[in-house]
Amino acid sequence: MTLALIVVAAGRGERLGSHFPKAFVEVGGQSLLEHSLQPIASLSAPLELVVVAPQSWVEPAREISERALNSTADIRVVPGGATRSESVRSGLEAIGPEVTTVLIHDAARAFAPQDVFQRVIDAVEAGAAGVIPVREVADTIVPVDDQSRTDHAVPRDELRSVQTPQGFSATALRASYDSFDGNATDDAEVLRLAGYEVIAVEGHEASHKITYPSDLEAVRRRLSDNADLRVGTAVDVHQFDPEARLVVGGMDFDGPGLSGHSDGDVVLHALIDALLGAAGLGDLGTHFGTSRPEYAGAKSEVFLKEALGLLAGAGFSPRSV
């Protein structure tokens, strides 16, 4: 398989309210284009990259692409057209004839994770002519006519929202665009109109399209919230002691227990070590070890509560992201 990725980055960003084309708006110190390219650096297949940018932004797009991929791909940047379909056609013309699989990705979906790319690639490699990542629809959907009258709700379990990257057999995609005369906001629809079957794979919530200022602000908040995120890892080991009670994760179980200065709870001990280590506050032994006789035989929940107090005092709090 020879893979080409076409990144459509020629949008003007009018709904985003930006003075720059959308793909070149920065968030978290990087442009949306650069964010969108980062997941492909670790793809295992040989890659041709074609970035479709506004005419006056071709050189900035080339610099961003080379920086994001660090020369790990064959990079080409071409000017886009007045419509999305024209931009996709420009990208198709730039890929080599030996390409067998084409991914088309919107730079506006800048945070699509690498595993979505891989799922799409795998499905095309398995023989699908077209592949789209999708998500379940949470809202009720109703048709509305030009007089604002609504009709009955469309069954939600039959609907999915479509994301990118979308993947295609290069032969099928070229043939479909050759027979297509118009503008499409979705490349898979071009394939369907040409008679090809398009299948769905699981998408990801992070692949949300950045369209409006509120979308951009939500991403900025998320990146800001995670800017000071620290991660700790730890392991804990105790010998079996048939005379001790077995405590794991703060719960009592039947069976031989684990020896230790306290209750030998390996799960909570590892968790506490990870929290303290991430915050740079030492480890379990530093604060609750054998040098602290007052903790002999104590429940590990006591250690956890005190560790959380130490974190709070240092300005940290554990959370799930």
Side-chain angles (χ1 to χ4, degrees), residues 7-13 21-24 33 51-55 57 78-84 86-88 105-108:
V7 177
V8 183
R12 293 186 296 272
K22 185 193 297 186
F24 299 89
L33 174 58
V51 177
V52 186
Q55 176 71 61
W57 288 80
V78 298
T83 66
R84 189 181 188 283
E86 289 179 12
S87 293
V88 172
H105 185 45
D106 291 338

Side-chain angles (χ1 to χ4, degrees), residues 12-230:
R12 293 186 296 272
E14 293 173 345
R15 288 178 293 179
L16 196 61
S18 171
H19 298 296
F20 302 108
K22 185 193 297 186
F24 299 89
V25 173
E26 288 198 354
V27 57
Q30 294 180 329
S31 67
L32 293 180
L33 174 58
E34 190 163 359
H35 283 294
S36 72
L37 294 175
Q38 289 172 350
I40 72 173
S42 58
L43 292 176
S44 57
L47 177 69
E48 288 184 17
L49 171 66
V50 177
V51 177
V52 186
Q55 176 71 61
S56 58
W57 288 80
V58 166
E59 286 309 311
R62 191 185 314 280
E63 293 174 5
I64 289 170
S65 301
E66 291 174 350
R67 180 171 65 247
L69 298 185
N70 194 24
S71 300
T72 58
D74 177 5
I75 299 172
R76 301 163 200 169
V77 182
V78 298
T83 66
R84 189 181 188 283
S85 290
E86 289 179 12
S87 293
V88 172
R89 289 181 189 276
S90 295
L92 276 173
E93 291 171 1
I95 65 176
E98 72 283 358
V99 168
T100 58
T101 299
V102 180
L103 300 187
I104 301 179
H105 185 45
D106 291 338
R109 296 188 187 274
F111 299 94
Q114 194 267 347
D115 59 341
V116 175
F117 282 79
Q118 196 61 57
R119 279 197 291 272
V120 172
I121 292 169
D122 291 344
V124 178
E125 190 177 15
V131 181
I132 55 174
V134 300
R135 295 279 292 171
E136 292 184 355
V137 175
D139 298 323
T140 297
I141 306 295
V142 297
V144 180
D145 67 16
D146 57 3
Q147 297 183 22
S148 300
R149 293 175 300 197
T150 66
D151 204 340
H152 65 280
V154 180
R156 193 167 54 189
D157 57 355
E158 299 177 4
L159 300 176
R160 296 294 184 271
S161 61
V162 180
Q163 301 178 330
T164 68
Q166 298 184 2
F168 307 96
S169 152
T171 300
L173 184 62
R174 287 190 176 104
S176 298
Y177 264 99
D178 285 345
S179 64
F180 178 70
D181 182 19
N183 180 44
T185 59
D186 179 73
D187 302 291
E189 185 62 16
V190 177
L191 239 71
R192 293 190 198 94
L193 291 172
Y196 290 97
E197 183 179 69
V198 177
I199 69 168
V201 297
E202 184 182 359
H204 197 281
E205 61 183 354
S207 302
H208 177 74
K209 187 176 182 181
I210 298 173
T211 304
Y212 301 104
S214 58
D215 299 325
L216 196 62
E217 183 58 33
V219 171
R220 284 180 172 144
R221 284 198 305 270
R222 179 168 62 84
L223 293 178
S224 176
D225 287 345
N226 291 339
D228 295 325
L229 183 68
R230 298 188 180 193

